[in-house]
Amino acid sequence: MSDRHPAATPVHYQLTRAQVLFSGLSIVAALLLLGALGVRIGARVDLWQWWVPLALVGGIAAADFGSGLVHWSADTWGRDDLPVIGHRLLVPFRVHHINPDDFIRRRFMDTNGDVAFIAAIVLGGFQAIPIEPRWGEPAGVFVFAFCGIGMMTNQIHQWAHLPSPPRLVRALQACGVLLGRVEHAAHHQRPYDVRYCITTGWCNRPLEAVAFFRRTEAAIAWMTGLQPRHDDRRYEQRYGATEMPAETRHA
């Protein structure tokens, strides 16, 4: 444990009642829309076709890649005083680096509401797309897998921080289906610039092999003059952080 006083450790802000209600409605809506899409697929798609496993795996991999893009963006660019996204998106990501244990204490609604809201938008939009056309069938299976696993991203991330997650989760982590504790631990080493994908972790090694995020950062810096992670120290100073204790670096 850290020798810092608990009051000096930054924490994720608490949701208001309205935000809890909104998160709960988002989760319910996403689950209902996912179920509706599953029913449509089951009724209209022959699930024994050769492309079905490819569409499922592709959707899961895309969700993992998407989690990495969001994670990298929030960790790398922007300031905490930006309207809307600064307080709601960027601050929690930066606080998470300084105090990973705070994420474990976040409640179910807080952990999953935002991602469920995004999934509900995607699923709601897809309801207007017919599944009958040949291209609509693989698209439907892809979206089902993408949103089904994608809406669990923050929950999976939280499980990767727990020393003893549920037994089924541990089994899925062990076989590489879900992001595991060891895989995610590398991200919590300074300067927090690797292993951004936090759903399954499948995309981490391929993206690092081609230096995807580093090349993207270099391109953005060249085009805009902005520097990645230029305000990390400002976050640490503002939120009272010191060097992360060794015990929490592998959280």
Side-chain angles (χ1 to χ4, degrees):
M1 296 294 293
S2 169
D3 58 358
R4 295 170 57 215
H5 191 277
T9 304
V11 296
H12 178 76
Y13 65 91
Q14 297 296 315
L15 298 186
T16 64
R17 290 185 178 180
Q19 289 173 324
V20 171
L21 177 61
F22 179 80
S23 295
L25 292 175
S26 297
I27 293 169
V28 171
L31 290 173
L32 290 175
L33 289 167
L34 184 68
L37 178 57
V39 170
R40 290 176 66 199
I41 292 172
R44 301 177 185 180
V45 178
D46 177 7
L47 298 178
W48 293 103
Q49 298 180 81
W50 64 270
W51 54 261
V52 171
L54 295 180
L56 286 171
V57 171
I60 294 171
D64 190 48
F65 177 63
S67 75
L69 282 178
V70 173
H71 191 178
W72 165 75
S73 299
D75 278 5
T76 306
W77 309 103
R79 295 170 58 94
D80 59 349
D81 54 5
L82 288 174
V84 184
I85 66 169
H87 182 62
R88 183 61 182 158
L89 178 66
L90 303 186
V91 170
F93 272 97
R94 305 300 178 90
V95 165
H96 179 57
H97 288 164
I98 301 167
N99 179 18
D101 289 343
D102 174 63
F103 188 46
I104 299 175
R105 293 188 289 269
R106 287 171 63 176
R107 296 182 178 180
F108 181 82
M109 296 293 188
D110 190 4
T111 300
N112 297 286
D114 290 345
V115 184
F117 175 68
I118 296 172
I121 292 175
V122 175
L123 290 164
F126 195 78
Q127 296 301 313
I129 299 176
I131 286 187
E132 287 82 3
R134 196 63 182 172
W135 63 267
E137 294 181 357
V141 175
F142 178 93
V143 170
F144 182 83
F146 177 80
C147 292
I149 192 72
M151 66 186 289
M152 295 180 61
T153 292
N154 274 353
Q155 185 61 64
I156 294 169
H157 182 193
Q158 188 181 67
W159 284 332
H161 279 271
L162 293 177
S164 183
R167 183 176 300 176
L168 177 59
V169 172
R170 291 201 304 271
L172 293 173
Q173 289 174 337
C175 61
V177 174
L178 299 181
L179 178 74
R181 185 176 174 85
V182 174
E183 166 70 17
H184 186 53
H187 178 72
H188 283 274
Q189 302 283 348
R190 285 184 188 276
Y192 320 113
D193 61 351
V194 295
R195 308 292 172 88
Y196 288 108
C197 299
I198 52 174
T199 303
T200 63
W202 295 352
C203 295
N204 281 324
R205 296 180 192 279
L207 291 174
E208 289 171 21
V210 299
F212 174 82
F213 290 114
R214 301 292 79 76
R215 292 174 186 271
T216 304
E217 289 172 7
I220 293 174
W222 179 75
M223 290 187 292
T224 67
L226 298 174
Q227 295 301 312
R229 292 173 297 280
H230 69 283
D231 58 349
D232 271 2
R233 292 296 180 183
R234 189 179 77 88
Y235 273 94
E236 295 178 354
Q237 293 170 0
R238 182 166 186 173
Y239 293 101
T242 59
E243 180 71 26
M244 186 179 296
E247 291 82 0
T248 63
R249 288 179 185 168
H250 298 286

Coordinates of all heavy atoms in Angstrom, one line a residue, residues 26-79:
S26 N -29.1 3.4 -19.9 CA -28.3 3.1 -21.0 C -27.9 1.6 -21.0 O -27.9 1.0 -22.1 CB -27.0 3.9 -20.9 OG -27.2 5.3 -21.0
I27 N -27.7 1.1 -19.9 CA -27.3 -0.4 -19.8 C -28.6 -1.2 -20.2 O -28.4 -2.2 -21.0 CB -26.9 -0.7 -18.4 CG1 -25.5 -0.1 -18.1 CG2 -26.8 -2.2 -18.2 CD1 -25.1 -0.1 -16.6
V28 N -29.7 -0.8 -19.7 CA -30.9 -1.6 -20.0 C -31.2 -1.5 -21.5 O -31.5 -2.5 -22.2 CB -32.1 -1.1 -19.2 CG1 -33.5 -1.7 -19.7 CG2 -32.0 -1.4 -17.7
A29 N -31.1 -0.3 -22.1 CA -31.4 -0.1 -23.5 C -30.4 -0.9 -24.3 O -30.8 -1.5 -25.3 CB -31.3 1.4 -23.8
A30 N -29.1 -0.9 -24.0 CA -28.1 -1.6 -24.7 C -28.4 -3.1 -24.7 O -28.3 -3.8 -25.7 CB -26.7 -1.3 -24.2
L31 N -28.8 -3.6 -23.5 CA -29.1 -5.1 -23.4 C -30.3 -5.4 -24.2 O -30.3 -6.5 -24.9 CB -29.3 -5.4 -21.9 CG -28.0 -5.4 -21.1 CD1 -28.4 -5.6 -19.6 CD2 -27.0 -6.5 -21.5
L32 N -31.3 -4.6 -24.2 CA -32.5 -4.9 -24.9 C -32.3 -4.9 -26.4 O -32.7 -5.7 -27.2 CB -33.6 -3.9 -24.6 CG -34.2 -4.0 -23.2 CD1 -35.2 -2.9 -22.9 CD2 -34.9 -5.4 -23.0
L33 N -31.5 -3.9 -26.9 CA -31.2 -3.8 -28.3 C -30.3 -4.9 -28.8 O -30.4 -5.4 -29.9 CB -30.5 -2.4 -28.6 CG -31.5 -1.2 -28.5 CD1 -30.7 0.1 -28.5 CD2 -32.5 -1.2 -29.7
L34 N -29.4 -5.3 -27.9 CA -28.5 -6.4 -28.2 C -29.3 -7.7 -28.4 O -29.1 -8.5 -29.3 CB -27.4 -6.6 -27.2 CG -26.3 -7.7 -27.5 CD1 -25.5 -7.3 -28.7 CD2 -25.5 -7.9 -26.2
G35 N -30.3 -7.9 -27.4 CA -31.1 -9.0 -27.5 C -32.0 -9.0 -28.7 O -32.2 -10.1 -29.4
A36 N -32.5 -7.9 -29.1 CA -33.3 -7.8 -30.3 C -32.5 -8.1 -31.5 O -33.0 -8.8 -32.4 CB -33.9 -6.3 -30.4
L37 N -31.3 -7.7 -31.6 CA -30.4 -8.0 -32.7 C -30.1 -9.5 -32.7 O -30.1 -10.1 -33.8 CB -29.1 -7.2 -32.7 CG -28.1 -7.5 -33.8 CD1 -28.7 -7.3 -35.2 CD2 -26.8 -6.6 -33.6
G38 N -29.9 -10.1 -31.6 CA -29.7 -11.5 -31.5 C -30.8 -12.3 -32.0 O -30.7 -13.3 -32.7
V39 N -32.0 -11.9 -31.7 CA -33.3 -12.5 -32.2 C -33.4 -12.4 -33.7 O -33.7 -13.4 -34.4 CB -34.5 -11.9 -31.5 CG1 -35.8 -12.5 -32.2 CG2 -34.5 -12.3 -30.0
R40 N -33.1 -11.3 -34.2 CA -33.1 -11.1 -35.7 C -32.1 -12.0 -36.4 O -32.4 -12.6 -37.4 CB -32.8 -9.6 -36.0 CG -33.9 -8.6 -35.7 CD -33.4 -7.2 -36.0 NE -33.3 -7.0 -37.4 CZ -32.6 -6.0 -37.9 NH1 -31.9 -5.2 -37.1 NH2 -32.5 -5.9 -39.2
I41 N -30.9 -12.1 -35.8 CA -29.9 -12.9 -36.4 C -30.3 -14.4 -36.3 O -30.2 -15.2 -37.3 CB -28.5 -12.7 -35.7 CG1 -28.0 -11.3 -36.0 CG2 -27.5 -13.8 -36.1 CD1 -26.8 -10.9 -35.2
G42 N -30.8 -14.8 -35.2 CA -31.2 -16.2 -35.0 C -32.3 -16.6 -35.9 O -32.4 -17.8 -36.4
A43 N -33.2 -15.7 -36.2 CA -34.4 -16.0 -37.1 C -34.0 -15.9 -38.6 O -34.7 -16.6 -39.4 CB -35.5 -15.0 -36.8
R44 N -33.0 -15.2 -39.0 CA -32.8 -14.9 -40.4 C -31.4 -15.4 -40.9 O -31.2 -15.3 -42.1 CB -33.0 -13.4 -40.7 CG -34.4 -12.9 -40.3 CD -34.5 -11.4 -40.5 NE -35.8 -10.9 -40.0 CZ -36.2 -9.7 -40.1 NH1 -35.4 -8.8 -40.6 NH2 -37.3 -9.3 -39.6
V45 N -30.5 -15.8 -40.0 CA -29.2 -16.1 -40.5 C -28.9 -17.6 -40.2 O -29.2 -18.1 -39.1 CB -28.1 -15.2 -39.8 CG1 -26.7 -15.6 -40.3 CG2 -28.4 -13.8 -40.1
D46 N -28.4 -18.3 -41.2 CA -27.9 -19.6 -41.0 C -26.6 -19.6 -40.3 O -25.5 -19.3 -40.9 CB -27.8 -20.4 -42.3 CG -27.3 -21.8 -42.2 OD1 -27.1 -22.3 -41.0 OD2 -27.0 -22.4 -43.2
L47 N -26.6 -19.9 -39.0 CA -25.3 -19.7 -38.2 C -24.3 -20.8 -38.5 O -23.2 -20.8 -37.9 CB -25.7 -19.7 -36.7 CG -26.6 -18.5 -36.3 CD1 -26.9 -18.6 -34.8 CD2 -26.0 -17.2 -36.6
W48 N -24.6 -21.8 -39.3 CA -23.6 -22.8 -39.7 C -22.8 -22.4 -40.9 O -22.0 -23.2 -41.3 CB -24.3 -24.1 -39.9 CG -24.9 -24.7 -38.6 CD1 -26.2 -24.7 -38.3 CD2 -24.2 -25.3 -37.6 NE1 -26.4 -25.2 -37.1 CE2 -25.2 -25.6 -36.6 CE3 -22.9 -25.6 -37.3 CZ2 -24.9 -26.3 -35.4 CZ3 -22.6 -26.2 -36.1 CH2 -23.6 -26.5 -35.2
Q49 N -22.9 -21.2 -41.4 CA -22.1 -20.8 -42.5 C -20.7 -20.5 -42.1 O -20.4 -20.1 -41.0 CB -22.8 -19.5 -43.2 CG -24.2 -19.8 -43.7 CD -24.8 -18.5 -44.3 OE1 -24.5 -18.2 -45.5 NE2 -25.6 -17.8 -43.6
W50 N -19.8 -20.7 -43.1 CA -18.3 -20.6 -42.8 C -17.9 -19.3 -42.3 O -16.9 -19.2 -41.5 CB -17.5 -21.0 -44.0 CG -17.7 -20.0 -45.1 CD1 -18.6 -20.0 -46.1 CD2 -16.9 -18.8 -45.3 NE1 -18.5 -19.0 -47.0 CE2 -17.5 -18.2 -46.5 CE3 -15.9 -18.2 -44.7 CZ2 -16.9 -17.0 -47.0 CZ3 -15.3 -17.0 -45.2 CH2 -15.9 -16.4 -46.3
W51 N -18.6 -18.2 -42.7 CA -18.1 -16.9 -42.3 C -18.6 -16.4 -40.9 O -18.1 -15.4 -40.4 CB -18.6 -15.9 -43.4 CG -20.1 -15.9 -43.6 CD1 -20.8 -16.5 -44.6 CD2 -21.1 -15.3 -42.8 NE1 -22.1 -16.3 -44.5 CE2 -22.4 -15.5 -43.4 CE3 -21.1 -14.5 -41.6 CZ2 -23.6 -15.1 -42.8 CZ3 -22.3 -14.0 -41.1 CH2 -23.5 -14.3 -41.7
V52 N -19.5 -17.1 -40.3 CA -20.0 -16.7 -39.0 C -18.9 -16.6 -37.9 O -18.8 -15.5 -37.3 CB -21.1 -17.6 -38.5 CG1 -21.5 -17.3 -37.1 CG2 -22.4 -17.5 -39.5
P53 N -18.0 -17.6 -37.8 CA -17.0 -17.4 -36.8 C -16.0 -16.3 -37.1 O -15.6 -15.6 -36.2 CB -16.2 -18.8 -36.8 CG -17.2 -19.7 -37.4 CD -18.0 -19.0 -38.3
L54 N -15.8 -16.1 -38.4 CA -14.9 -14.9 -38.8 C -15.5 -13.6 -38.4 O -14.9 -12.7 -38.0 CB -14.6 -15.0 -40.3 CG -13.8 -16.2 -40.8 CD1 -13.7 -16.1 -42.3 CD2 -12.5 -16.3 -40.1
A55 N -16.9 -13.5 -38.7 CA -17.5 -12.2 -38.3 C -17.5 -12.0 -36.8 O -17.4 -10.9 -36.3 CB -19.0 -12.3 -38.9
L56 N -17.7 -13.1 -36.1 CA -17.7 -13.0 -34.6 C -16.3 -12.5 -34.1 O -16.2 -11.6 -33.3 CB -18.1 -14.3 -34.0 CG -19.6 -14.7 -34.0 CD1 -19.8 -16.1 -33.5 CD2 -20.4 -13.7 -33.2
V57 N -15.3 -13.2 -34.6 CA -13.9 -12.8 -34.1 C -13.6 -11.4 -34.6 O -12.9 -10.7 -33.9 CB -12.9 -13.9 -34.7 CG1 -11.5 -13.4 -34.4 CG2 -13.2 -15.2 -34.0
G58 N -14.0 -11.1 -35.8 CA -13.7 -9.8 -36.3 C -14.4 -8.7 -35.5 O -13.8 -7.6 -35.2
G59 N -15.6 -8.9 -35.1 CA -16.3 -8.0 -34.2 C -15.6 -7.8 -32.9 O -15.5 -6.7 -32.4
I60 N -15.2 -8.9 -32.3 CA -14.5 -8.9 -31.0 C -13.2 -8.1 -31.1 O -12.8 -7.3 -30.3 CB -14.3 -10.3 -30.5 CG1 -15.7 -10.9 -30.1 CG2 -13.4 -10.3 -29.2 CD1 -15.6 -12.4 -29.8
A61 N -12.4 -8.4 -32.2 CA -11.2 -7.8 -32.4 C -11.3 -6.3 -32.7 O -10.6 -5.5 -32.2 CB -10.4 -8.4 -33.6
A62 N -12.4 -5.9 -33.4 CA -12.7 -4.5 -33.7 C -13.0 -3.8 -32.4 O -12.6 -2.6 -32.2 CB -13.8 -4.4 -34.7
A63 N -13.7 -4.4 -31.5 CA -14.1 -3.8 -30.2 C -12.8 -3.6 -29.4 O -12.6 -2.6 -28.7 CB -15.0 -4.7 -29.4
D64 N -11.9 -4.6 -29.4 CA -10.6 -4.4 -28.7 C -9.8 -3.3 -29.3 O -9.3 -2.4 -28.5 CB -9.8 -5.7 -28.8 CG -8.6 -5.7 -27.9 OD1 -8.8 -5.4 -26.7 OD2 -7.5 -6.1 -28.3
F65 N -9.7 -3.2 -30.6 CA -9.0 -2.1 -31.2 C -9.7 -0.7 -30.9 O -9.0 0.2 -30.6 CB -9.0 -2.3 -32.8 CG -8.4 -1.2 -33.5 CD1 -7.0 -0.9 -33.4 CD2 -9.1 -0.4 -34.4 CE1 -6.4 0.1 -34.1 CE2 -8.5 0.6 -35.1 CZ -7.1 0.9 -35.0
G66 N -11.0 -0.7 -30.9 CA -11.7 0.5 -30.6 C -11.4 1.0 -29.1 O -11.2 2.1 -28.8
S67 N -11.3 0.0 -28.2 CA -11.0 0.3 -26.8 C -9.6 0.9 -26.7 O -9.4 1.8 -25.9 CB -11.1 -0.9 -25.9 OG -10.0 -1.8 -26.1
G68 N -8.7 0.4 -27.6 CA -7.4 1.0 -27.6 C -7.3 2.4 -28.1 O -6.6 3.2 -27.6
L69 N -8.1 2.7 -29.2 CA -8.1 4.0 -29.7 C -8.6 5.0 -28.7 O -8.1 6.1 -28.5 CB -9.0 4.0 -31.0 CG -8.4 3.5 -32.3 CD1 -9.4 3.6 -33.4 CD2 -7.1 4.3 -32.6
V70 N -9.7 4.7 -28.0 CA -10.3 5.6 -27.0 C -9.4 5.8 -25.9 O -9.1 6.9 -25.4 CB -11.7 5.0 -26.5 CG1 -12.2 5.9 -25.4 CG2 -12.7 5.0 -27.7
H71 N -8.8 4.7 -25.4 CA -7.9 4.7 -24.2 C -6.6 5.5 -24.6 O -6.2 6.4 -23.8 CB -7.4 3.3 -23.9 CG -6.7 3.1 -22.6 ND1 -6.3 1.9 -22.1 CD2 -6.3 4.0 -21.7 CE1 -5.6 2.1 -21.0 NE2 -5.6 3.4 -20.7
W72 N -6.1 5.3 -25.8 CA -4.9 6.1 -26.2 C -5.2 7.5 -26.3 O -4.5 8.4 -25.9 CB -4.4 5.5 -27.5 CG -3.4 6.4 -28.3 CD1 -2.1 6.6 -28.0 CD2 -3.7 7.2 -29.4 NE1 -1.6 7.5 -28.9 CE2 -2.6 7.9 -29.8 CE3 -4.9 7.4 -30.2 CZ2 -2.5 8.8 -30.8 CZ3 -4.8 8.3 -31.3 CH2 -3.6 8.9 -31.6
S73 N -6.4 7.9 -26.9 CA -6.8 9.3 -27.1 C -6.9 10.0 -25.8 O -6.4 11.1 -25.6 CB -8.1 9.3 -27.9 OG -8.0 8.8 -29.2
A74 N -7.6 9.3 -24.8 CA -7.8 10.0 -23.5 C -6.5 10.1 -22.7 O -6.3 11.0 -21.9 CB -8.8 9.2 -22.7
D75 N -5.6 9.1 -22.9 CA -4.3 9.2 -22.2 C -3.3 10.1 -22.8 O -2.4 10.6 -22.1 CB -3.7 7.8 -22.2 CG -4.2 6.8 -21.1 OD1 -5.2 7.2 -20.4 OD2 -3.7 5.7 -21.0
T76 N -3.5 10.5 -24.0 CA -2.4 11.2 -24.8 C -2.7 12.6 -25.1 O -1.8 13.5 -25.1 CB -2.2 10.4 -26.1 OG1 -1.9 9.0 -25.8 CG2 -1.0 11.0 -26.8
W77 N -4.0 12.9 -25.4 CA -4.4 14.3 -25.8 C -5.4 14.9 -24.9 O -6.1 14.3 -24.2 CB -4.9 14.2 -27.3 CG -4.1 13.4 -28.2 CD1 -4.3 12.1 -28.6 CD2 -2.8 13.8 -28.8 NE1 -3.3 11.7 -29.5 CE2 -2.4 12.7 -29.6 CE3 -2.1 15.0 -28.8 CZ2 -1.2 12.8 -30.3 CZ3 -0.9 15.0 -29.5 CH2 -0.5 14.0 -30.3
G78 N -5.5 16.2 -25.0 CA -6.5 17.0 -24.3 C -6.1 17.4 -22.9 O -5.1 16.9 -22.3
R79 N -7.0 18.2 -22.3 CA -6.8 18.7 -21.0 C -8.0 18.5 -20.2 O -9.1 18.4 -20.7 CB -6.5 20.3 -21.0 CG -5.2 20.6 -21.7 CD -5.1 22.2 -21.9 NE -5.2 22.9 -20.6 CZ -4.2 23.3 -19.9 NH1 -2.9 23.0 -20.3 NH2 -4.3 23.9 -18.7

